[in-house]
Amino acid sequence: ANPRNAASGSLRIKDAKEVARRNLEAFLYHVGFVTMDDAKGTMYDVLKTHSGCLKMMWELGFRSPEKEKKILKGVKAVVDHINEFEIKRDELPYEIDGMVIKVNDLQLQDKMGMTSHHPRWAIAYKFKARQGTSKLRTVEYQVGRTGAVTPVAKIDPVAIGGVTVTSISLHNEEFIAEKDLMLGDTVLVERAGDVIPYIVKSMPELRTGKEEKIKFRTQCPVCNSKLVKPEAEAVWRCVNYHCEAQIVERIIHFTSKDAMDIRGMGDANVRKFYELGYLKDIPTLYQLPFDKIKGLEGYGAKSVDNLQTAIENSKKQPLFRLINALGIRFVGEATAKTLANSTKHLLDIATKTQEELQQMEDVGPRVAGSIHEFFSNSENIEILKQLESLGLQLKNEQKDTKHDGNLTGVTFLFTGTMPTLKRSQAEQMAEEQGGTILSGVSAKLNYLVVGEDAGSKLEKAKKISTIKIINEEEFVSLLKK
């Protein structure tokens, strides 16, 4: 149903024979480097243009877009061709979501060069998102770890771009009113960016009179507590800390990759162990009855031993990961590091006022208020004490940041996907040289390191003249100075 996911999944299979059996094909669309004994003759002329390179690869037996490419002159011709091709896209034996327009002359490509984010000689044009119509049958409500209640539309199954869509987030009460949605409506659905399902609009002209108004819940769908809508927010929240849905979501977040990184304790296992009564809250993660789990169907001895090892290893995670795992509102990895570096023991944060918290790097009034609220809650303090008694590290025993490193006093922020480094690796490299990682773009930021698909942070940084925008290669060179 979804060739992109099938191909991506195939490449992750460790058994090469199984991958070969799936008969994947690779399309080559660029020649990166050429060496020639004789720089004259027909071959040299072919390599002067991008289209010539594609033709050469095709003739050498490689799969290149030789048959699909078109050489055009002028913007009007390009636009006309794109519009024609979009109509014919369904005739292709594979899915595409757009086309790329490139300068053909390779010398001109070199002259135009590249930014840290993209080549100046190429631009992608995205086709309109795939759309389909369906019936809105009912609305269910999901409760997140912070108590946010999100309405989710349940629609008749509709196939869009290789995926069958049955559920779509409606975000909040205001979105429902804005889109004029009613139960029983015919709705126009698309996959935004060909990925995320989204309701474009309702079709009131098709109503029969049997449609019903959507009444947003006033009570939590899980614990039945009265919902509250904080001032200046669009989201209704369940403020019952003991709401089962929130407890489960907090545990899922706690075990996630960017938090305590407990391999094997995914969403499904957390929910199963909670339903069986093995999990009641975060501390009970470290008190699981592994002898009983080994007796469950589908849980082999080796997988349970691996899970036990992963849970035990998580006790050695640095303090900032534990802070991030606690799920404090508005506190991400960067702010977690700031908090960790500001204290000798996590419980000492409970003694700080909001004003003192705001003195920390990159902590504003809203973040300070959320941190203060979390550490003012006696139940949260009790959970932290339990975790410490179970062997987790609440003291700041991280390796001290180098104060005499190349990057002492320099601030960094990373965005997008970098060619070779993971973001966590790059951040660690900067910190080991004395650098500081910020959580957002501001006048305090010295360097924004951008990778592929950099988003709003790049646009914000461009508006602040003091921020230097660099790529991974330039960042690595900074480390060596």
Side-chain angles (χ1 to χ4, degrees):
N2 191 312
R4 184 186 299 182
N5 288 355
S8 176
S10 297
L11 290 173
R12 291 189 176 92
I13 295 173
K14 293 180 180 179
D15 184 352
K17 289 181 181 178
E18 173 60 23
V19 180
R21 190 182 67 80
R22 298 190 179 199
N23 202 29
L24 298 179
E25 288 184 297
F27 288 74
L28 307 185
Y29 57 91
H30 192 80
V31 173
F33 185 74
V34 178
T35 56
M36 298 169 62
D37 293 332
D38 181 7
K40 296 178 182 178
T42 310
M43 180 62 77
Y44 180 71
D45 291 333
V46 166
L47 292 170
K48 284 182 177 179
T49 62
H50 193 87
S51 59
C53 292
L54 295 179
K55 184 179 180 184
M56 178 197 72
M57 287 191 286
W58 179 268
E59 291 175 348
L60 288 172
F62 294 104
R63 187 76 182 266
S64 81
E66 164 66 11
K67 302 297 183 185
E68 293 80 11
K69 79 172 194 301
K70 193 164 182 113
I71 304 166
L72 300 158
K73 283 191 176 182
V75 173
K76 185 179 184 306
V78 170
V79 173
D80 289 344
H81 178 61
I82 286 172
N83 290 336
E84 290 170 12
F85 205 93
E86 183 169 10
I87 296 169
K88 300 175 183 176
R89 66 191 283 199
D90 291 330
E91 296 175 14
L92 293 172
Y94 43 79
E95 279 280 335
I96 63 169
D97 61 0
M99 301 180 79
V100 181
I101 303 104
K102 301 177 181 179
V103 171
N104 194 28
D105 189 310
L106 295 187
Q107 281 192 332
L108 279 176
Q109 285 189 9
D110 289 338
K111 191 172 182 180
M112 294 175 78
M114 301 177 70
T115 69
S116 56
H117 179 230
H118 59 267
R120 290 192 177 97
W121 45 264
I123 190 165
Y125 178 92
K126 294 288 186 181
F127 294 149
K128 295 185 186 79
R130 296 284 197 183
Q131 294 185 329
T133 58
S134 183
K135 284 277 189 181
L136 173 53
R137 294 302 181 186
T138 186
V139 175
E140 296 180 358
Y141 296 84
Q142 295 178 348
V143 184
R145 64 181 170 83
T146 62
V149 176
T150 304
V152 178
K154 296 295 179 179
I155 64 172
D156 288 343
V158 56
I160 305 175
V163 172
T164 301
V165 178
T166 57
S167 299
I168 307 173
S169 172
L170 297 179
H171 305 294
N172 51 55
E173 185 181 26
E174 291 174 11
F175 181 89
I176 294 172
E178 179 191 325
K179 296 292 181 182
D180 185 27
L181 298 175
M182 298 182 72
L183 297 178
D185 264 348
T186 299
V187 290
L188 183 65
V189 180
E190 71 178 27
R191 290 175 66 211
D194 275 345
V195 179
I196 302 167
Y198 178 80
I199 289 183
V200 180
K201 64 176 183 177
S202 62
M203 297 181 174
E205 67 274 14
L206 299 179
R207 286 175 181 164
T208 63
K210 294 182 180 180
E211 293 77 17
E212 297 176 27
K213 186 177 179 180
I214 298 171
K215 296 178 182 177
F216 203 92
R217 293 189 66 107
T218 57
Q219 293 176 305
C220 174
V222 177
C223 70
N224 223 29
S225 298
K226 187 176 180 181
L227 299 182
V228 174
K229 189 177 183 182
E231 193 175 341
E233 287 192 25
V235 175
W236 286 91
R237 294 185 184 279
C238 169
V239 293
N240 174 17
Y241 189 80
H242 299 288
C243 173
E244 288 191 3
Q246 292 182 57
I247 293 171
V248 170
E249 291 296 336
R250 283 197 293 268
I251 297 172
I252 290 170
H253 174 74
F254 188 90
T255 63
S256 64
K257 184 179 178 182
D258 291 332
M260 299 304 276
D261 193 20
I262 302 177
R263 304 283 175 90
M265 184 57 81
D267 188 314
N269 276 344
V270 170
R271 295 185 189 282
K272 186 176 183 70
F273 295 159
Y274 186 85
E275 289 169 7
L276 291 170
Y278 299 162
L279 278 176
K280 295 186 176 68
D281 52 24
I282 288 171
T284 52
L285 268 169
Y286 298 93
Q287 299 168 314
L288 284 172
F290 292 105
D291 53 333
K292 292 182 180 178
I293 293 173
K294 284 179 180 177
L296 297 175
E297 186 178 346
Y299 290 83
K302 187 175 181 181
S303 63
V304 175
D305 288 342
N306 288 342
L307 175 60
Q308 189 170 6
T309 300
I311 291 174
E312 195 61 31
N313 288 342
S314 74
K315 295 178 180 180
K316 301 170 188 174
Q317 292 282 20
L319 182 59
F320 81 87
R321 275 188 169 272
L322 174 58
I323 295 173
N324 190 25
L326 295 173
I328 305 168
R329 282 191 77 194
F330 313 125
V331 174
E333 192 173 315
T335 307
K337 287 180 179 178
T338 299
L339 285 172
N341 290 332
S342 72
T343 186
K344 291 181 179 178
H345 193 285
L346 185 54
L347 291 175
D348 292 343
I349 295 175
T351 65
K352 295 184 183 294
T353 64
Q354 288 193 49
E355 290 72 22
E356 288 173 325
L357 290 168
Q358 285 184 59
Q359 299 305 310
M360 296 180 189
E361 185 72 43
D362 224 27
V363 175
R366 186 175 69 162
V367 178
S370 179
I371 295 168
H372 187 265
E373 182 182 354
F374 181 90
F375 284 94
S376 298
N377 186 314
S378 59
E379 291 181 77
N380 290 335
I381 299 299
E382 182 57 35
I383 285 172
L384 291 174
K385 288 179 178 177
Q386 286 182 49
L387 290 175
E388 187 170 37
S389 69
L390 289 165
L392 275 74
Q393 189 56 256
L394 268 64
K395 291 181 180 179
N396 186 5
E397 294 189 353
Q398 268 187 299
K399 183 180 178 182
D400 288 333
T401 301
K402 288 186 180 179
H403 295 290
D404 57 349
N406 297 335
L407 306 177
T408 300
V410 182
T411 56
F412 290 87
L413 181 62
F414 297 82
T415 184
T417 305
M418 283 175 281
T420 61
L421 294 174
K422 291 183 179 178
R423 191 179 301 183
S424 56
Q425 285 178 300
E427 289 176 349
Q428 185 178 345
M429 289 163 72
E431 288 176 326
E432 286 175 351
Q433 289 295 331
T436 301
I437 309 300
L438 300 188
S439 59
V441 175
S442 70
K444 296 177 182 178
L445 182 62
N446 299 131
Y447 288 97
L448 178 70
V449 185
V450 300
E452 192 176 339
D453 297 327
S456 59
K457 289 174 184 170
L458 176 60
E459 296 307 313
K460 288 179 184 176
K462 286 177 180 176
K463 297 173 185 176
I464 303 175
S465 60
T466 55
I467 298 176
K468 294 177 183 175
I469 300 170
I470 61 175
N471 58 24
E472 181 190 290
E473 186 179 349
E474 292 167 314
F475 165 69
V476 173
S477 68
L478 278 178
L479 296 171
K480 297 175 182 176
K481 287 182 179 178

